Amino acid sequence: KVKPTANFQFSKNSTRLPTTADIALGVGYKLNDKSIIGIGGVYKLGLGTIDHINITHQGVGLRTYLDWKIKKQFFATGGYEMNHFSQFKNIDQLKYANNWQQSCLVGISKKYKISKKLKGETKLLFDFLYQQHRPASQPIVFRAGYNF
């Protein structure tokens, strides 16, 4: 059974990057009663700073994930991501591999019911490749999202 997903993640600004909102859409496939595998894409929306709000596009990303049911609404989750954190003016700029940052995420998620058709999900993840990121990133990633 195929399930569309959406999630949001916010990151604080630094001296090199503005505050951003990651807006992700994906699709998951339920392999069996305990596991879901999926793919998705993310758009990185720049928000500027609290003193100077400035909407810009800050990048795009590709995601894969696997959720494995532990107990009731709790899942072990893992995934691989590639993110392009530079502004780009055309698609040709996305072709160069050195412009993409890789992440290997592992953690836990909790799924919960919001309504009959809408389910929520929170994830707490550790990025095993965070030390390789330039500029440096946080090792812990928190995400909140929805499943339809």
Side-chain angles (χ1 to χ4, degrees):
K1 189 172 184 181
V2 176
K3 297 233 178 208
T5 62
N7 70 46
F8 308 94
Q9 174 185 328
F10 293 91
S11 63
K12 62 183 179 177
N13 65 326
S14 67
T15 56
R16 298 178 74 186
L17 294 172
T19 299
T20 59
D22 287 9
I23 303 162
L25 297 174
V27 62
Y29 180 75
K30 189 172 182 177
L31 294 171
N32 54 46
D33 288 343
K34 289 194 172 235
S35 58
I36 301 167
I37 191 168
I39 60 171
V42 61
Y43 176 72
K44 297 182 175 301
L45 177 68
L47 302 172
T49 65
I50 197 76
D51 298 331
H52 179 63
I53 295 174
N54 186 21
I55 305 297
T56 58
H57 64 94
Q58 292 297 312
V60 294
L62 301 170
R63 295 178 175 175
T64 61
Y65 68 91
L66 174 66
D67 289 344
W68 185 269
K69 190 176 209 171
I70 299 170
K71 189 171 185 175
K72 296 187 180 180
Q73 303 100 342
F74 290 93
F75 288 77
T77 186
Y80 174 76
E81 299 182 0
M82 291 184 63
N83 292 294
H84 188 278
F85 285 107
S86 301
Q87 288 187 0
F88 58 93
K89 299 205 183 322
N90 61 52
I91 299 297
D92 287 338
Q93 292 174 306
L94 299 176
K95 292 179 182 178
Y96 304 104
N98 60 345
N99 292 339
W100 291 84
Q101 176 178 286
Q102 299 177 54
S103 291
C104 179
L105 301 161
V106 175
I108 192 161
S109 66
K110 182 176 190 242
K111 298 181 182 190
Y112 50 91
K113 188 179 266 190
I114 297 172
S115 69
K116 273 188 169 184
K117 292 187 178 184
L118 187 62
K119 295 179 178 104
E121 178 179 35
T122 56
K123 291 185 177 193
L124 187 60
L125 305 163
F126 181 82
D127 185 353
F128 285 93
L129 301 179
Y130 81 97
Q131 292 177 322
Q132 297 175 9
H133 299 168
R134 298 293 175 252
S137 66
Q138 297 294 319
I140 304 297
V141 175
F142 176 77
R143 292 185 176 148
Y146 303 97
N147 298 318
F148 306 96

